[in-house]
Amino acid sequence: MGFREYINQIDKEGLLRKVDLEVSKKLEIAGILKETEPTPVMFTNVKESDFRVVGNVFCTKGVIASYFGVTPAELIPMLSKAIDERSEPEIVSNAPCQEIIEPNVDLEKIPILFHCDKDGGNYISSAVVVTRDPDYGQNLDFHRAMQYSKDKFATRIVKGRHFDKFLEKNREVEVAFCIGNTPNILIAGATSVDIGVDELTIANALEPIKVVKAKSVDLIIPAEAEFILEGKVYFEERHSEGPFVDLTETYDTIREEPIFEVKKITHRKDAIWQALLPGALEHKILMGMPREPTIFTKVNATGVKCLDVNISPGGSSWLHAIVQIDKKTEEDGKKAIGGTFAGHTSCKHVFIVDKDIDIYDPLSVEWAMATRFQGDTRMIVKDKEPGSSLDPSAEPGTKMTTKIGFDLTKPLVVKGKSFDIAEFPKVDLNKYF
Ligand SMILES: Cc1cc2nc3c(=O)[nH]c(=O)nc-3n(C[C@H](O)[C@H](O)[C@H](O)COP(=O)(O)O)c2cc1C
């Protein structure tokens, strides 16, 4: 299903709220989206643009699971399978995303939102970015882009990203920023797999897609997207980028980042701009969820049976992982901690729990910490390792951090004390009230 079809579907089901009053792309739309999340909202009357804006579309695991027709618990196995069983999308020659080819590039006509008052500019935050390297082929990832002129952005490219490698090697790289995508493409773009894997094949394995050749760059792009911004990113040419509210809901600093020059804009008729609120629920889900299958796989590879993984929103959906295991030996907790850090290298704190703990309930996890954990024997401290550049408390510039694994599982041999929640007698209240 394309993004447009999905929006029409939730509209018919009464799940889409509409704002027909004139609203500004500067702060106002972001404010409304924040107040209304996780409800999807469409803005039909944007002051500065003829295009409509929609946001809060995929804010919860429940919504994403229902998009795919599965339960939230089935998402991790589904993503793992798609990564393993990738498939080539169908190439078409006529694509909705190219229905209109703008004669000139003028970014002012597009409702690129200004989200928070101290932001450095209007930001694209929902774009899935397609790039290509002569040796590795195509890559998909996300890069926020701060607009600073009618045809240019400064785009944030974290060191080590596959696009960063392409750029460092080739010095300038053709790009297509694709906006208005469904969860199969969004999740594929947020997945980190081996360099050389075109994540469009993961998207296609999640749900078949059509792709098309871009108009002015040598790239294959999702045919059903709403907007495509084609152009080039230059390694040497830089512009200040930021401040920007990032995943941790704190302002990220100003850096000199590569310039993205837009050379062609194509879009659907009556195109809808997909807004994605930085640091809010949708951003968190898209960042964290694709790391859960990689943790799941790495923990299982240590020989410990992993039952479920939650990269929890309280940890900004990036810095904390709660991992449920079926503990068989006393070493399992520590092995699982190692597997989790291997599956998500930006993770800072890992919590390993037994199968009786609800990993989606912070109180349940805290209870396990309070009653099953001892700091001297059940904690692994990894002093000064590379962590996440998003963590304000990591060393500025180097992202060095201290990682800690907490084994919150109960001991297999219980010496007198009980570690299980006691059950009260079951009664039929109707008898008494
Ligand atoms: C909504 C969203 C926004 C993101 N923004 C950026 C960004 O601005 N810069 C960046 O380098 N990574 C960003 N990321 C993370 C990468 O796109 C993501 O980790 C991706 O999987 C890296 O792909 P790669 O392994 O092909 O390099 C973002 C991810 C999401 C989900």
Side-chain angles (χ1 to χ4, degrees), residues 125 139-144 156-158 161-163 189-193 199 276 283 286-287 291:
S125 47
N139 184 68
L140 247 61
D141 51 17
F142 280 81
H143 296 280
R144 70 188 187 222
R156 168 76 175 132
I157 304 170
V158 175
R161 296 266 187 265
H162 292 162
F163 180 24
T191 309
S192 268
V193 285
E199 284 100 341
L276 190 142
H283 188 187
L286 289 174
M287 280 291 281
R291 296 294 182 276

Side-chain angles (χ1 to χ4, degrees), residues 198-334:
D198 177 357
E199 284 100 341
L200 281 174
T201 59
I202 298 175
N204 194 62
L206 284 168
E207 188 194 26
I209 54 167
K210 292 189 172 69
V211 293
V212 69
K213 198 175 165 331
K215 287 290 174 194
S216 66
V217 288
D218 184 19
L219 295 168
I220 299 293
I221 55 173
E224 306 274 342
E226 292 286 323
F227 285 88
I228 309 289
L229 310 188
E230 301 178 3
K232 257 189 188 172
V233 173
Y234 305 94
F235 185 76
E236 321 282 356
E237 290 175 41
R238 290 182 179 242
H239 188 278
S240 56
E241 186 274 325
F244 174 79
V245 175
D246 212 332
L247 197 63
T248 51
E249 298 165 64
T250 56
Y251 277 98
D252 201 359
T253 53
I254 300 174
R255 301 178 183 86
E256 291 300 308
E257 290 290 316
I259 288 174
F260 164 30
E261 185 183 5
V262 183
K263 299 197 172 172
K264 191 158 285 302
I265 300 177
T266 76
H267 58 83
R268 280 179 174 250
K269 279 186 199 135
D270 306 319
I272 308 171
W273 185 257
Q274 183 176 21
L276 190 142
L277 270 195
L281 284 177
E282 193 174 20
H283 188 187
K284 288 191 160 74
I285 282 287
L286 289 174
M287 280 291 281
M289 201 173 61
R291 296 294 182 276
E292 291 170 354
T294 54
I295 292 176
F296 189 81
T297 305
K298 291 283 183 188
V299 171
N300 278 314
T302 66
V304 178
K305 189 162 174 46
C306 183
L307 301 173
D308 204 357
V309 180
N310 179 21
I311 299 196
S312 54
S316 295
S317 292
W318 196 242
L319 301 174
H320 286 179
I322 305 160
V323 178
Q324 191 184 51
I325 61 167
D326 185 7
K327 180 170 168 174
K328 296 280 188 231
T329 77
E330 269 320 326
E331 290 310 305
D332 281 4
K334 284 184 181 149

Side-chain angles (χ1 to χ4, degrees), residues 325-358:
I325 61 167
D326 185 7
K327 180 170 168 174
K328 296 280 188 231
T329 77
E330 269 320 326
E331 290 310 305
D332 281 4
K334 284 184 181 149
K335 282 189 196 163
I337 289 170
T340 305
F341 283 127
H344 178 27
T345 51
S346 296
C347 194
K348 185 163 74 167
H349 297 145
V350 171
F351 306 88
I352 309 294
V353 298
D354 293 300
K355 54 187 168 188
D356 61 337
I357 300 299
D358 180 354

